[in-house]
Amino acid sequence: MALLKRQMLKLLMVGVAACAAVIAIPIKVLGVQPNTAVEDGMNLWQSFCLGIIQGLTEFLPISSTAHLKVVPVVLGWGDPGVAYTAVIQLGSLAAVLWYFWKDLAQIVTGTAKAIANSDYDSREFGTALGIFLGTIPIVFFGLLIKIFYPGYDKSPLRSLAAIAVYSIVMACLLGLAEIFGKRKRKFNEPTVKDGILMGLAQTLALFPGVSRSGSTLTAGLFLGLERAKAARFSFLLSIPAIAISGLVELKDALEAGLENAGILNLIVAVVSSAVFSYFAIAWLLRFLQTQDTWIFVWYRLIFGAAILAAIGFGVLSNV
């Protein structure tokens, strides 16, 4: 009972602080068309730093897309844009493939055997099916945005104020998941329902500031999964989504014509992203074996409130 009271107090503090942060800033700031002043290109040092940011934040539940926009804007580098952000995610893709190589090999071979033997109850087939079904929603909605909302990159939905609000809302949802999630399931046998629900949650990551790993981890906790097990499946579920978005944007960038310097900068960012993503994955899985996610709840809340305050007081433009 005492533990429940402490958890409810934490959530109450999160909610009060979130409401205060949002109310303190004029709501009209969300309707301002962002000033999308973007640098013509990133130099090697900036590309290396963006790779570090991508690597450290892609798999932590704090949103890599948000940090890849906020940090460069704060430093005066400009918004790298959706395409640049998606391409350097390929480094994170390489890292998650590297880290889970044995698991993926087991899933692939086990699925092939299950199909050959019509053993559709096997654990490997269930995991593969969950990943496949969980990827469909984000691909579907991502294509809808690309086709029917080509100006999304420069829309108010990607503004700093919007990112801040998404971060605060997700902080509250993650806090709720910590309090009400049972965390009793081992996730040894993923179900179709798990894949679909976590996949639907992943679509929220189309809004910068939500976080792909944050939304799926939150969904996993609500589904009763242990933290580390939920994070593991979240990482596996991210592989197709990162691969598709990164390769599509890379294709567009190459067709648009990159100079040698631009290609070199991208390579530096991707390699940097891969190295730091690997360390972030390893650290988070160890961390969640013994710790809860409240540190990320508070970080997201402070991150969002700080952005709103900076915009409200004119320190930052709502780009």
Side-chain angles (χ1 to χ4, degrees):
M1 182 63 68
L3 177 60
L4 179 61
K5 288 182 178 179
R6 287 198 298 271
Q7 289 177 329
M8 293 301 295
L9 180 59
K10 285 182 179 180
L11 182 62
L12 178 62
M13 292 171 66
V14 170
V16 171
C19 292
V22 173
I23 293 172
I25 307 300
I27 296 177
K28 66 180 182 180
V29 80
L30 292 175
V32 177
Q33 183 69 22
N35 174 22
T36 53
V38 182
E39 296 290 339
D40 293 333
M42 295 288 170
N43 60 40
L44 285 177
W45 169 247
Q46 292 170 338
S47 297
F48 175 72
C49 291
L50 290 179
I52 294 176
I53 295 168
Q54 163 64 27
L56 293 178
T57 58
E58 174 64 38
F59 297 107
L60 300 185
I62 57 176
S63 180
S64 62
T65 307
H67 286 77
L68 281 172
K69 176 164 184 174
V70 173
V71 175
V73 168
V74 170
L75 294 176
W77 298 350
D79 179 7
V82 171
Y84 191 93
T85 299
V87 172
I88 66 174
Q89 285 180 345
L90 292 175
S92 296
L93 172 64
V96 74
L97 289 173
W98 179 15
Y99 190 91
F100 290 107
W101 183 253
K102 291 183 179 179
D103 301 72
L104 292 169
Q106 183 178 354
I107 291 171
V108 171
T109 56
T111 300
K113 290 180 180 178
I115 294 174
N117 299 325
S118 298
D119 180 18
Y120 302 117
D121 293 326
S122 74
R123 181 175 64 86
E124 291 80 9
F125 181 80
T127 301
L129 184 60
I131 293 172
F132 173 76
L133 293 175
T135 302
I136 293 175
I138 195 169
V139 172
F140 175 75
F141 288 106
L143 285 174
L144 285 183
I145 290 176
K146 197 170 185 65
I147 294 172
F148 297 105
Y149 198 176
Y152 178 67
D153 188 3
K154 300 179 181 180
S155 76
L157 294 176
R158 280 197 82 248
S159 67
L160 292 185
I163 287 173
V165 172
Y166 300 147
S167 183
I168 291 172
V169 170
M170 286 306 299
C172 294
L173 289 176
L174 184 56
L176 282 170
E178 270 293 340
I179 292 174
F180 296 107
K182 300 301 182 181
R183 295 183 293 279
K184 293 181 179 179
R185 295 176 54 202
K186 302 295 184 181
F187 210 72
N188 291 327
E189 297 181 2
T191 66
V192 173
K193 177 182 175 182
D194 295 322
I196 293 174
L197 292 178
M198 292 182 73
L200 287 171
Q202 185 176 229
T203 62
L204 297 175
L206 292 170
F207 299 100
V210 169
S211 170
R212 191 194 323 273
S213 61
S215 60
T216 50
L217 176 60
T218 299
L221 293 179
F222 275 124
L223 290 170
L225 307 179
E226 291 183 343
R227 298 182 186 93
K229 297 295 182 181
R232 177 182 176 277
F233 186 73
S234 169
F235 297 158
L236 294 174
L237 183 61
S238 73
I239 292 175
I242 295 176
I244 293 170
S245 64
L247 292 174
V248 168
E249 295 297 347
L250 178 60
K251 172 180 172 293
D252 292 344
L254 292 175
E255 288 179 350
L258 283 175
E259 298 179 355
N260 290 335
I263 294 175
L264 179 60
N265 290 341
L266 274 179
I267 292 174
V268 169
V270 169
V271 172
S272 174
S273 168
V275 173
F276 285 91
S277 290
Y278 185 90
F279 289 123
I281 292 171
W283 177 82
L284 183 62
L285 288 177
R286 287 197 301 270
F287 177 82
L288 292 179
Q289 288 176 358
T290 58
Q291 304 294 325
D292 57 38
T293 63
W294 279 103
I295 185 174
F296 304 114
V297 172
W298 290 111
Y299 176 85
R300 294 184 66 111
L301 180 63
I302 294 170
F303 179 73
I307 294 172
L308 288 177
I311 295 172
F313 290 108
V315 178
L316 284 179
S317 297
N318 186 29
V319 295

